[in-house]
Amino acid sequence: MSKLGKATARACANIALVKYWGKRDPVLNLPAAGSLSMTLDALVTETSVEFDDDLNADVLILDGATADAKATARTARWLDLVRERASVTAKARVVSGNNFPTASGLASSASAYAALALAATRAASYAADPAELSELARLGSGSAARSIFGGFVEMAPGVSSDGKDAVARPIDDGGDWDVRMVVAVVGGGVKKSVSSRDAMTHCAETSPLYQAWVGSVPGDIEAAREAIARRDLGALGAIAEGSALAMHAAALASRPTIRYFRPETLAVMARVESLREAGAPAFYTMDAGPHVKILTAGDAADDVARAVRDVPGVSDVLHSRIGGPAVLLDDGSAGAARP
Ligand code: PMV
């Protein structure tokens, strides 16, 4: 029998309210500072992994098509980590699908590596606790460490050189708080030009604002934690906007610049500011792409979505509630399980 094990998992994307931008160790993918995010239930990746002795190489199918050599090689390197820990030698067939545009700054790598970590460890019959799943996900993509968990999640930068303490933990499930994330998709979800990995390295090496950015993170995390505990959306939104702007300021000041904003991005930001001046709780944040994510309240979300849909250049508007943790959908035996 050459089929060793198969498992399928689902994970939600997350959006950082206090951003991760920069690494203290690029090889182990250790962040230079912490970060804090909200998990989104509307942006989901489902991934199945099957180890098979008959395969000569790992196979990656993304959204129904065979992935390119670069993406396949990156996944294969990551699978080696699981093979090593689980003492498995077989190659794997990975089939993954997103319900949102891939690699466009919509956090696809976060949900992708979180779902992959859960599915691959289970398929290899390797028992990893949530902290180890978070560590494995981080080794694929820094933001993925947070997508193992639901609600509001804090990522620790850690201090150890092996990175075992650079993992995320859930800080609040947000269960009784009706906050939403409205996502204004700009430019039709096209692939981003500079990967966050390359951009972070370039920013750390050339931006005169990089150290100041890193220094701003711990205070923002502390303040965000307190705002969440108080259910203070205004305070949390102000921190989220400030963190995103500081991250993008550092990136913009890189030489040559890293600019993810497009004219439409700025137009949506201006629309959010005018909504706020009119009394709506609405706060923007942007990642390594042109899209704008707007933190808002449940009773304001429809108005916010309508207002940003009207901005020329906005091709789609998604609307999300707080999402839950990564879950196993099928481990080859009966029943679903939580990590
Ligand atoms: O997970 P990565 O390596 O793609 O980095 C994500 C970086 C940002 O999305 C810009 C910020 C964040 O904390 O998610």
Side-chain angles (χ1 to χ4, degrees), residues 18 32 34 39 86 106 142 152 164 192 194 216 268 277-278 292 308:
V18 179
T39 303
L106 272 186
F152 294 97
K164 297 274 181 213
K192 63 192 173 196
V194 192
S216 76
V268 176
E277 275 154 26
V292 184
V308 296

Side-chain angles (χ1 to χ4, degrees), residues 28 51 58 75-92 120-121 124-127 132 135-136 139 164:
L28 288 176
F51 288 99
D58 292 315
T75 302
R77 276 196 303 278
W78 183 90
L79 285 166
D80 286 343
L81 300 167
V82 173
R83 277 189 279 262
E84 199 184 313
R85 291 184 194 200
S87 302
V88 165
T89 52
K91 301 297 184 191
T121 50
S125 300
Y126 178 71
E132 187 174 1
E135 182 207 348
L136 282 165
L139 285 156
K164 297 274 181 213

